[in-house]
């Protein structure tokens, strides 16, 4: 019996998250900002956690980041990611005050340390969506 690899689960962009996905496709990380209190949030959410407002606008992130923490994935959370193992997931602090979780590219976990400077990159996947990735500033 042959095993077939299932398709990767894909995000389903909604009208509320469309600016985020459109920004990624243009090579920009867009962050939601509460139109009432000014709080930034990432990932896109329908309501502000600070004031419960539903009013939103969008601002572009600087593209800079620093390592907060990381993990190496040796087991896929979904069978479609098995061929990519192992991969490094980095939680990065952005100067805007939010965090980004993304895969590390062009480096290994041994190169990381808390506070290390990173830059945000963008990669299109086989489904035509662009996702953020993280790279060392010199890579």
């Amino acid at each position: 019996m042959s095993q077939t690899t299932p398709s990767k689960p894909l995000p389903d962009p909604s009208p509320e998250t469309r600016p985020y996905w459109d920004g990624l496709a243009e090579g920009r990380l867009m962050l939601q900002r509460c139109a009432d209190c000014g709080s930034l949030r990432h990932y896109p959410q329908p309501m502000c956690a600070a004031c419960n407002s539903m009013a939103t606008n969008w601002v572009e992130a600087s593209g800079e980041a620093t390592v907060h923490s990381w993990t190496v994935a040796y087991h896929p959370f979904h069978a479609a990611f098995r061929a990519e193992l192992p991969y490094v997931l980095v939680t990065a602090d952005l100067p805007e005050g939010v965090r980004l979780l993304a895969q590390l590219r062009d480096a290994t976990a041994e190169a990381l340390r808390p506070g290390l400077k990173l830059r945000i990159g963008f990669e299109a996947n086989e489904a035509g969506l662009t996702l953020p990735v993280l790279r060392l500033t010199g890579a």
Side-chain angles (χ1 to χ4, degrees):
M1 180 172 163
S2 68
Q3 289 184 339
T4 59
T5 302
S7 298
K8 289 181 180 178
L10 296 173
D12 186 18
S14 67
E16 293 79 18
T17 64
R18 179 61 53 199
Y20 173 76
W21 296 106
D22 289 347
L24 291 176
E26 297 165 0
R28 302 179 304 137
L29 178 66
M30 301 302 293
L31 305 174
Q32 275 185 326
R33 181 173 55 200
C34 177
D36 288 328
C37 76
S39 293
L40 288 174
R41 60 187 184 260
H42 182 72
Y43 290 94
Q45 301 165 34
M47 183 174 28
C48 176
C51 74
N52 297 326
S53 172
M54 302 289 279
T56 298
N57 55 41
W58 295 84
V59 296
E60 184 176 353
S62 68
E64 300 172 1
T66 57
V67 173
H68 179 80
S69 66
W70 65 93
T71 189
V72 180
Y74 291 99
H75 301 284
F77 75 93
H78 186 281
F81 292 87
R82 189 170 290 133
E84 298 177 21
L85 296 173
Y87 56 86
V88 180
L89 287 170
V90 177
T91 301
D93 294 319
L94 306 188
E96 292 82 11
V98 297
R99 289 189 175 142
L100 171 70
L101 176 66
Q103 285 191 30
L104 180 67
R105 294 292 192 244
D106 306 321
T108 63
E110 290 75 25
L112 298 176
R113 67 181 188 288
L116 182 70
K117 300 280 187 209
L118 302 169
R119 62 184 168 87
I120 300 170
F122 305 90
E123 286 184 359
N125 66 17
E126 64 277 358
L129 286 174
T130 301
L131 300 173
V133 296
L134 292 164
R135 292 186 166 87
L136 303 180
T137 55

